[in-house]
Amino acid sequence: MNLQSKRSNKDLSMAVLGWNQKWEEAFAELKLEGAQPGRIIADHGHKYRVMTERGEGWAELSGKLQHELGDRSAYPAVGDWIAQRFFSESEKDGIIHGILPRFSTISRRAAGSVPTEQIIAANVDVLLLVAALNLDFNLRRLERYLVMAWNSGANPVILLSKADLCEDPEQFVKETESIAPGVPVIAVSAMEDQGRDQLEALLRPGLTVALTGSSGAGKSTILNWLAGEEKQFTQGIRESDSRGRHTTTHREMFVLPQGAVMIDTPGMRELQLWDDAGGGWSEAFTDIEEFAAQCRFGDCRHEREEGCAVQEAVRSGDLDQKRLENYRKTQRELKYQATKEQARQRNDRKTSGKKETRRGKGEQRRRFELERD
């Protein structure tokens, strides 16, 4: 079901998608004559579904833009604002010639041995981290999602879905709040219409909200519940371990009746963090960082050092040992990832330098041959 279902073209103005004066100014700075603004609403690989003032159409990147962007992570993602030239005065399809600067980027490390960044969504105001209250509930996994969320530039909110499946959802809310200082935690149930008012308070007109979480967490169910119609197909989970099956196959944006737009994303079996450019690791573990500031030594590793406030917090019960272990694990992972990425960039620069040298020698040889002739 596309973005225009049950809505007129008038309803789907650019303002509904989040277009404002800030984006107008950013678009003008591109200085692309004859181009019109649009927003990526679905990513299908080399083709994109784009919403413009003409309505919903298809677009591809220009060859020049592909060359300029280079890295795949710089390509448009769902949520990006773009500059597009239409094929004709009457068509909705066209070519993308520019991408407006992002104010937030939700990303993870893509699967594979070579470290590459996979963009999940762009220009998101509120990121809803969805975790189901079933056998698959995992606080350590939520901590990793929080690192990603704080690094993205979006405001995280944790949704504990399928609250009807547990006897005491408030206990899960308290446990989650203990590992997410300052982050709103809402228990919701689409089956029982629980938590709707709290959730709808986040869906203000002009805002972009994205859903992310493990497979089977209930993201598409939440979207359908809020939309009042089946926007996305859903299916059940395995009873043996409460693990979900991939239902959503690509990232897509939908307009909600509450006024906000929502991006639904495929579930993740495993979240591999990309980087810590936004300081998300420290933000996700602010309680440990506060304890660490009280350690006797500034370079304390929080292991066996004398005067370690972090270890004292573990002994006193103020800090969970498993949370501390995950703190260290994600720190090691992010440092390793940063080292790998730096090595890749050095190799790319070296390769690029060799190509430029060969190109220069080739040009010199051609000039010599022309002069000799």
Side-chain angles (χ1 to χ4, degrees), residues 55-352:
E56 186 177 320
W58 291 91
E60 298 180 47
L61 295 179
S62 70
K64 179 183 177 183
L65 184 58
Q66 286 187 49
H67 178 73
E68 290 174 351
L69 295 175
D71 195 84
R72 181 70 191 179
S73 64
Y75 279 35
V78 174
D80 266 322
W81 290 98
I82 53 90
Q84 171 180 325
R85 290 192 178 111
F86 297 106
F87 290 131
S88 71
E89 290 296 325
S90 59
E91 289 190 65
K92 299 176 182 178
D93 300 343
I95 299 294
I96 298 171
H97 292 271
I99 306 171
L100 276 64
R102 299 163 176 160
F103 71 81
S104 69
T105 305
I106 300 162
S107 68
R108 65 168 181 171
R109 175 177 169 169
S113 57
V114 179
T116 55
E117 183 180 17
Q118 180 184 35
I119 307 299
I120 298 170
N123 301 316
V124 172
D125 298 289
V126 178
L127 180 59
L128 301 177
L129 310 177
V130 186
L133 293 181
N134 55 22
L135 297 176
D136 195 39
F137 181 76
N138 189 312
L139 288 174
R140 305 288 78 84
R141 185 192 299 138
L142 268 174
E143 288 169 344
R144 294 176 65 79
Y145 275 98
L146 281 166
V147 173
M148 178 186 74
W150 286 121
N151 275 323
S152 73
N155 294 315
V157 173
I158 297 175
L159 295 188
L160 302 182
S161 62
K162 306 183 183 182
D164 54 290
L165 298 181
C166 71
E167 294 181 359
D168 188 9
E170 282 307 309
Q171 180 58 37
F172 282 93
V173 171
K174 290 177 182 177
E175 289 180 17
T176 304
E177 287 176 339
S178 72
I179 61 100
V183 177
V185 180
I186 307 172
V188 299
S189 169
M191 295 291 291
E192 297 183 353
D193 210 36
Q194 178 183 343
R196 189 183 189 103
D197 290 344
Q198 290 173 277
L199 187 49
E200 288 192 331
L202 304 171
L203 307 178
R204 299 193 304 276
L207 290 187
T208 298
V209 181
L211 294 158
T212 190
S214 300
S215 301
K219 299 182 295 298
S220 295
T221 298
I222 290 171
L223 169 64
N224 294 338
W225 172 44
L226 294 171
E229 60 177 305
E230 188 169 330
K231 297 277 191 181
Q232 292 279 62
F233 173 72
T234 61
Q235 61 181 342
I237 59 175
R238 295 195 302 260
E239 293 184 6
S240 60
D241 58 5
S242 294
R243 290 296 181 92
R245 290 163 285 183
H246 292 292
T247 301
T248 302
T249 57
H250 61 275
R251 292 168 283 279
E252 188 167 0
M253 179 186 290
F254 302 89
V255 174
L256 296 178
Q258 294 84 354
V261 293
M262 179 171 279
I263 299 173
D264 192 16
T265 66
M268 301 182 200
R269 293 289 188 206
E270 180 185 6
L271 172 60
Q272 295 191 63
L273 299 173
W274 173 245
D275 64 18
D276 196 41
W281 175 71
S282 296
E283 196 72 44
F285 295 98
T286 52
D287 52 342
I288 299 180
E289 292 286 279
E290 288 171 2
F291 286 129
Q294 301 171 34
C295 290
R296 181 177 297 179
F297 304 106
D299 60 350
C300 183
R301 293 179 298 174
H302 319 309
E303 293 175 352
R304 297 181 180 84
E305 294 87 349
E306 185 179 350
C308 176
V310 173
Q311 286 296 338
E312 180 57 36
V314 172
R315 285 190 291 270
S316 66
D318 291 332
L319 177 63
D320 189 332
Q321 177 66 36
K322 291 182 179 178
R323 178 163 170 78
L324 177 58
E325 290 169 2
N326 204 32
Y327 169 85
R328 291 172 176 153
K329 178 183 176 182
T330 53
Q331 182 186 39
R332 289 193 300 269
E333 180 182 345
L334 288 165
K335 284 184 176 179
Y336 175 75
Q337 172 62 29
T339 301
K340 293 269 285 186
E341 177 60 13
Q342 288 166 6
R344 185 190 69 83
Q345 290 178 0
R346 284 196 300 270
N347 185 62
D348 287 349
R349 286 195 294 269
K350 187 182 296 184
T351 302
S352 177

Side-chain angles (χ1 to χ4, degrees), residues 19-30 100:
W19 187 256
N20 54 33
Q21 184 61 36
K22 178 191 70 175
W23 292 117
E24 188 75 51
E25 292 170 1
F27 181 80
E29 289 179 9
L30 293 180
L100 276 64

Side-chain angles (χ1 to χ4, degrees), residues 354-370:
K354 288 179 179 178
K355 288 181 179 177
E356 288 297 325
T357 300
R358 287 196 297 268
R359 189 178 297 116
K361 287 181 178 178
E363 289 293 331
Q364 189 178 29
R365 188 182 302 114
R366 280 192 292 274
R367 285 197 299 270
F368 175 76
E369 288 175 351
L370 286 170

